[in-house]
Amino acid sequence: MALVLAPEVPLRDWLEDLDAVSERSPGFFTGRPIIADVSSLKPSKSELKFLLAAFKMRNIRIIGLEGAAPENVDADMPPQINGGKPTGEIDVPDAANAAVAATAAPFGDAPVPEKSLLIEGSVRSGQSILHPEGDVTVLGSVASGSEIVAGGSIHVYGSLRGRAIAGCTGNGRARIFCRKFEAELIAIDGLYKTADDLGGKFLGQPVQVNLDGDSIILKTMD
Amino acid sequence: MAKVLVVTSGKGGVGKTTSSAALGAALAHGGDKVVVIDFDVGLRNLDLVMGAERRVVFDLINVVQGDAKLNQALIRDKRLENLSLLPASQTRDKDALTEEGVARVLDELRQKFDWIICDSPAGIERGATMAMRHADVAVVVTNPEVSSVRDSDRIIGLLDSKTERAEKGERIEKHLLLTRYDPARAERGEMLKVEDVLEILSIPLIGIIPESEEVLRASNVGSPVTLNNPASAPGRAYFDAVRRLKGEAVELTVPTDKKGLFGKLFGRRAA
């Protein structure tokens, strides 16, 4: 599976949409193999160079080009790829769904997309990190009014003050870890508890959360 | 017959959320069934002011988009059992509010409550127009300063043109709530006078809420000022406003600077 980005005219607006996606879910493109489909853009050589530079600037790794005229593709550009089969949309949080569509493209030895998402900073109020493929690790804090939705476990090395929703794809073995527990809501595999249900017992403690059958278990980590 | 009341202003920071919570709590205190809805999607605050931020699971957007039932999202106040809150989402934006979804939610709420109070976001864009769209009554929150008055004037214009009632050719009841009124500054002429504001906006005044530390204290402990300290000056002013809202004739006095001659003589500390 690779993700296909199909730039559209006007390119400036399209790049703005792309940036909106990155801003909404930081790390969405990190480590994913991306194919650029330029068939609707029909870029000249210089336009293609500009586009690739724009991707590079945004740390988006292009592993192949689709629909570019062969004479415009230099040796130092990603290889031409054809014959991908669409597999439907990938769920991108809001905005610019149109800009991104997932397709399966046969690619030789491209690296497998990373299963875990690392966020080096903090997650601010209002941000929503959606990563159904695996774990999410946050080195900073998760602010009140933000949420992390992960298919796997959630690790927060700062304070967890927002919502942590782990195992969202039906994974009951997922866990939530944080160094300082002040969460508004925690959920694993659809079972949830709000801050109000949890009382003050674990407030400010390093905590791990897991599921035991149908109940959410919190333990301090000492 | 349920009434939909929108609390709106145009300008930010004038006290819409504080007033929504205070009016809601005062109405519920009088025995009416009240729900307060936070329309400020993306910058929700009403849950904080009402002390329910630790109980939010589903929100208005979930209900509007059909991901959750209304009953799952409504949070019942712990102090007043006939007061409920429908919180906004913090992680979405106002585009997630759909015309049909909001109408459906309000229709469902009309079956259950006597008063539906919509706390409008600042501005005149989508969020604010969504909040006022289905209103029967509007409370326009204004501070006695020129920019706030001008923005309120603009909002009154929108209330008369962009709401469902206006489009059907009916009138929407409009009331002015003057907040953050500082008698001392008004007397020094640093603030617009009440009569000046009324002359510009020409809608009936339902209350003057004095500027008070009590209001800030109440929002910091997550309790509407009418619950936290009903006997305080702002608390009493909100209770009177609610009585006027329900059609009672209550005499309105403009707060004055209480310092008499004695206070003026001894009000300053010896240097």
Side-chain angles (χ1 to χ4, degrees):
Chain A
M1 289 281 280
L3 201 63
V4 171
L5 290 176
E8 288 159 20
V9 204
L11 198 54
R12 182 179 299 271
D13 294 0
W14 185 85
L15 285 171
E16 268 177 22
D17 283 349
L18 186 73
D19 289 337
V21 172
S22 304
E23 198 172 328
R24 217 176 267 276
S25 34
F28 183 79
F29 296 108
T30 327
R32 281 180 193 248
I34 311 268
I35 290 169
D37 178 359
V38 292
S39 43
S40 67
L41 204 63
K42 299 198 176 52
S44 65
K45 195 172 208 165
S46 60
E47 282 168 340
L48 193 59
K49 273 192 173 146
F50 167 78
L51 182 67
L52 290 169
F55 282 135
K56 196 169 175 136
M57 214 170 75
R58 290 167 173 76
N59 288 329
I60 296 177
R61 212 161 41 92
I62 302 293
I63 60 158
L65 283 169
E66 194 169 4
E71 62 272 14
N72 289 341
V73 181
D74 279 349
D76 61 349
M77 287 184 186
Q80 294 263 60
I81 283 179
N82 307 311
K85 283 200 298 289
T87 59
E89 298 267 307
I90 252 192
D91 216 12
V92 177
D94 310 327
N97 256 335
V100 183
T103 64
F107 49 87
D109 313 322
V112 185
E114 275 184 57
K115 280 279 189 286
S116 63
L117 171 66
L118 172 70
I119 293 162
E120 297 207 12
S122 289
V123 181
R124 296 268 169 203
S125 182
Q127 281 189 301
S128 172
I129 309 290
L130 187 65
H131 185 69
E133 293 85 1
D135 289 14
V136 174
T137 306
V138 182
L139 297 188
S141 295
V142 176
S144 158
S146 69
E147 63 183 3
I148 305 231
V149 183
S153 298
I154 296 173
H155 311 256
V156 182
Y157 284 94
S159 305
L160 169 58
R161 299 192 189 97
R163 301 169 157 230
I165 296 153
C168 69
T169 48
N171 174 4
R173 293 192 322 281
R175 295 187 178 202
I176 299 168
F177 304 90
C178 65
R179 230 175 51 173
K180 205 167 172 210
F181 182 84
E182 294 168 20
E184 286 170 347
L185 179 141
I186 46 172
I188 297 176
D189 188 13
L191 289 163
Y192 65 81
K193 276 201 171 358
T194 61
D196 209 50
D197 306 330
L198 296 163
K201 191 182 164 194
F202 295 98
L203 215 61
Q205 306 282 323
V207 164
Q208 76 153 313
V209 186
N210 65 301
L211 216 52
D212 183 6
D214 268 353
S215 50
I216 289 184
I217 309 290
L218 280 83
K219 289 195 227 46
T220 50
M221 297 187 291
D222 291 335
Chain B
M1 180 60 201
K3 273 196 170 174
V4 178
L5 180 149
V6 64
V7 177
T8 184
S9 74
K11 191 171 189 295
V14 295
K16 284 183 296 296
T17 301
T18 307
S19 298
S20 299
L23 293 172
L27 281 163
H29 200 271
D32 288 340
K33 284 204 217 122
V34 184
V35 61
V36 199
I37 312 179
D38 191 349
F39 270 86
D40 205 347
V41 179
L43 286 171
R44 62 167 215 235
N45 285 147
L46 189 58
D47 52 324
L48 291 168
V49 174
M50 297 194 44
E53 76 280 5
R54 299 163 55 81
R55 301 165 63 199
V56 176
V57 181
F58 296 109
D59 53 55
L60 175 64
I61 299 294
N62 296 135
V63 183
V64 162
Q65 301 194 331
D67 307 329
K69 290 196 176 67
L70 187 57
N71 282 338
Q72 291 176 293
L74 282 172
I75 301 172
R76 183 172 285 189
D77 193 272
K78 285 187 169 174
R79 297 149 297 206
L80 287 168
E81 63 159 20
N82 50 351
L83 174 64
S84 299
L85 162 75
L86 185 52
S89 164
Q90 179 77 345
T91 51
R92 312 293 296 272
D93 54 30
K94 295 179 175 64
D95 299 340
L97 287 171
T98 61
E99 187 88 35
E100 309 74 44
V102 172
R104 185 173 47 80
V105 171
L106 285 173
D107 281 342
E108 214 174 323
L109 288 167
R110 279 177 198 265
Q111 315 296 326
K112 300 181 187 212
F113 294 94
D114 303 320
W115 289 91
I116 300 156
I117 297 180
C118 306
D119 179 22
S120 167
I124 50 172
E125 283 80 31
R126 189 183 176 84
T129 47
M130 281 285 182
M132 69 168 67
R133 181 114 192 96
H134 306 276
D136 306 309
V137 189
V139 168
V140 181
V141 182
T142 309
N143 294 165
E145 47 99 16
V146 280
S147 61
S148 173
V149 172
R150 172 190 278 195
D151 289 0
S152 291
D153 201 26
R154 178 98 167 83
I155 280 286
I156 292 167
L158 292 179
L159 286 166
D160 285 333
S161 60
K162 290 267 164 116
T163 52
E164 219 168 28
R165 274 181 168 249
E167 283 171 8
K168 282 194 288 196
E170 298 168 6
R171 301 285 304 160
I172 180 166
E173 239 183 274
K174 294 178 294 292
H175 303 279
L176 176 67
L177 183 67
L178 207 54
T179 51
R180 312 195 68 165
Y181 186 83
D182 187 336
R185 295 188 63 192
E187 256 154 60
R188 287 200 299 270
E190 292 171 14
M191 272 186 169
L192 285 179
K193 290 194 179 68
V194 177
E195 50 270 29
D196 296 345
V197 178
L198 284 172
E199 194 201 351
I200 297 166
L201 297 179
S202 59
I203 56 172
L205 179 67
I206 56 158
I208 301 173
I209 315 295
E211 174 77 43
S212 160
E213 288 173 8
E214 210 47 60
V215 175
L216 182 64
R217 198 172 303 144
S219 45
N220 282 341
V221 298
S223 164
V225 69
T226 41
L227 274 185
N228 195 45
N229 191 350
S232 64
R236 285 201 315 272
Y238 276 118
F239 271 108
D240 283 354
V242 158
R243 286 168 62 194
R244 291 184 197 101
L245 202 58
K246 293 169 100 169
E248 274 184 59
V250 184
E251 201 193 337
L252 199 149
T253 50
V254 178
T256 50
D257 195 4
K258 281 205 203 77
K259 271 188 198 157
L261 182 67
F262 190 81
K264 282 194 184 116
L265 286 174
F266 298 98
R268 297 199 207 108
R269 284 209 313 260

